[in-house]
Amino acid sequence: LAALGERDAAISAFGKSSRFTERDDELGQIARQAAAEGRALEIEGLEEELAKYDDYLAEPPTAEPGNRLLRAKCTVNRGVALAALDRPAEAISAYEGLIGEIRPEEDPELRVQLAMAMTNCGNGYRATGQAEEALRRYREVEEEFGNSADTRLQYRAALAALNLGNIYADQREIDQGHNEQAISQFEHVADRYAQAGSADIRDIALSARWNVAMIRLKSGDLDGAIAALLRITETFGSDPVGQIRRRVVGSIISLALSADERGSRTTALGTLATAARFAADPDPKTADLAAKAQQLRLGLGRST
């Protein structure tokens, strides 16, 4: 595939071996070689993209309608390519330059590019260990776009708010005082965006609530984790989008298994029982997950 110029298909094919990379035998060695080949193709493609962006941005701006938007999109994509090439400092520089240039603009499409640049810039700061700068950018994104009627902007605001919580969650490994700070931020995200009109934004809210459950669980607070799961079920269990209901059932199964691993068989059984409401779900994949939960419950019950 690579020799035929089908780079994306080749990368996908190489990626199919990833589940074997941790093995110590010959199969693991082959899988690691495949991963290296796939990464080399990715880098080759990214470098070609980057050269195209650089060539375009080197041209003087024109007065043609849409030229400014096209240059903004090109700059954002250039930053994405730089980040993927492990050149985050250059990506940050590209984003900061664009932010300073278009932040005063009111054009809706430019505002979308601004939101993307600000969020990605925060990601770059986070990747380079500049937590305070990342927090600053994430806060600015939510403050500026959190109440927007444009779901594209609100999505970026929700994502930035989630990433802000993730920084606190990362820091809790160093300072346990960040535990409640992370939980508070994730609860804020869940409460603010759970009823958003876009399923993508509601999915972020669900992720935030799940993060609360995981923090509680890792802290040894199983009751708190279960309480967070119940809120997930109450808030998102009747979501009109099957993929979100699927995530709810997946969360039920995951937390039940974690509870069982911690010796709380009764809690695990009770948690799995809550998946019964999804047995006749109109989404086949959700119903299948609910059936899996029931099978797990029966299996755990027999081994009690």
Side-chain angles (χ1 to χ4, degrees):
L1 286 168
L4 290 170
E6 298 290 340
R7 181 186 289 129
D8 290 344
I11 291 170
S12 177
F14 281 129
K16 293 182 185 297
S17 65
S18 61
R19 62 195 178 101
F20 300 107
T21 55
E22 298 303 318
R23 293 178 55 152
D24 294 327
D25 56 9
E26 185 179 2
L27 187 59
Q29 183 180 354
I30 294 170
R32 288 188 289 276
Q33 181 181 348
E37 295 277 3
R39 179 57 181 163
L41 286 176
E42 287 178 353
I43 291 173
E44 181 182 288
L46 289 166
E47 287 177 341
E48 288 178 7
E49 286 182 27
L50 191 59
K52 291 178 182 177
Y53 297 141
D54 287 340
D55 288 344
Y56 177 76
L57 291 170
E59 299 175 3
T62 70
E64 294 179 10
N67 178 259
R68 194 171 192 188
L69 175 60
L70 191 56
R71 291 180 69 86
K73 288 181 177 180
C74 188
T75 302
V76 170
N77 289 338
R78 180 174 180 270
V80 171
L82 285 166
L85 287 167
D86 295 325
R87 294 160 62 181
E90 293 175 70
I92 290 170
S93 179
Y95 292 135
E96 289 288 11
L98 180 63
I99 292 167
E101 178 186 341
I102 67 173
R103 194 162 190 178
E105 300 294 330
E106 295 296 331
D107 178 87
E109 297 304 318
L110 279 175
R111 297 285 286 171
V112 171
Q113 297 306 310
L114 173 64
M116 292 175 66
M118 292 172 70
T119 307
N120 291 354
C121 190
N123 296 343
Y125 282 127
R126 184 182 176 197
T128 54
Q130 301 178 74
E132 290 304 318
E133 287 300 308
L135 290 170
R136 175 179 64 84
R137 275 298 181 212
Y138 290 148
R139 289 191 188 103
E140 289 175 347
V141 174
E142 189 177 24
E143 288 170 3
E144 196 152 340
F145 305 110
N147 293 322
S148 175
D150 188 328
T151 56
R152 297 173 298 175
L153 297 178
Q154 194 179 58
Y155 172 80
R156 292 292 161 183
L159 189 61
L162 181 73
N163 287 341
L164 197 156
N166 287 331
I167 291 179
Y168 291 143
D170 292 341
Q171 293 175 336
R172 74 188 178 86
E173 300 298 332
I174 303 171
D175 178 3
Q176 287 301 310
H178 287 291
N179 243 13
E180 293 305 318
Q181 199 172 16
I183 288 172
S184 176
Q185 179 63 24
F186 288 136
E187 292 285 12
H188 159 74
V189 175
D191 291 341
R192 182 171 189 179
Y193 299 104
Q195 305 302 322
S198 167
D200 287 340
I201 299 173
R202 296 197 302 277
D203 192 62
I204 291 174
L206 194 161
S207 294
R209 189 78 74 197
W210 176 247
N211 288 350
V212 172
M214 288 298 94
I215 291 175
R216 295 294 192 199
L217 188 65
K218 290 176 182 178
S219 300
D221 181 7
L222 182 57
D223 289 342
I226 295 298
L229 178 66
L230 289 175
R231 294 193 68 186
I232 288 174
T233 306
E234 292 167 1
T235 306
F236 303 101
S238 299
D239 195 276
V241 176
Q243 183 177 350
I244 290 182
R245 298 195 304 277
R246 208 177 308 150
R247 281 199 66 192
V248 172
V249 182
S251 298
I252 290 171
I253 293 172
S254 179
L255 192 54
L257 291 174
S258 294
D260 188 58
E261 288 173 0
R262 285 162 171 75
S264 300
R265 178 64 55 86
T266 301
T267 300
L269 292 171
T271 301
L272 288 169
T274 64
R277 62 177 282 194
F278 300 95
D281 195 275
D283 174 54
K285 292 182 178 179
T286 303
D288 286 345
L289 271 178
K292 179 183 177 182
Q294 176 64 8
Q295 291 168 1
L296 285 170
R297 183 167 174 256
L298 292 173
L300 290 178
R302 284 195 295 267
S303 61
T304 300

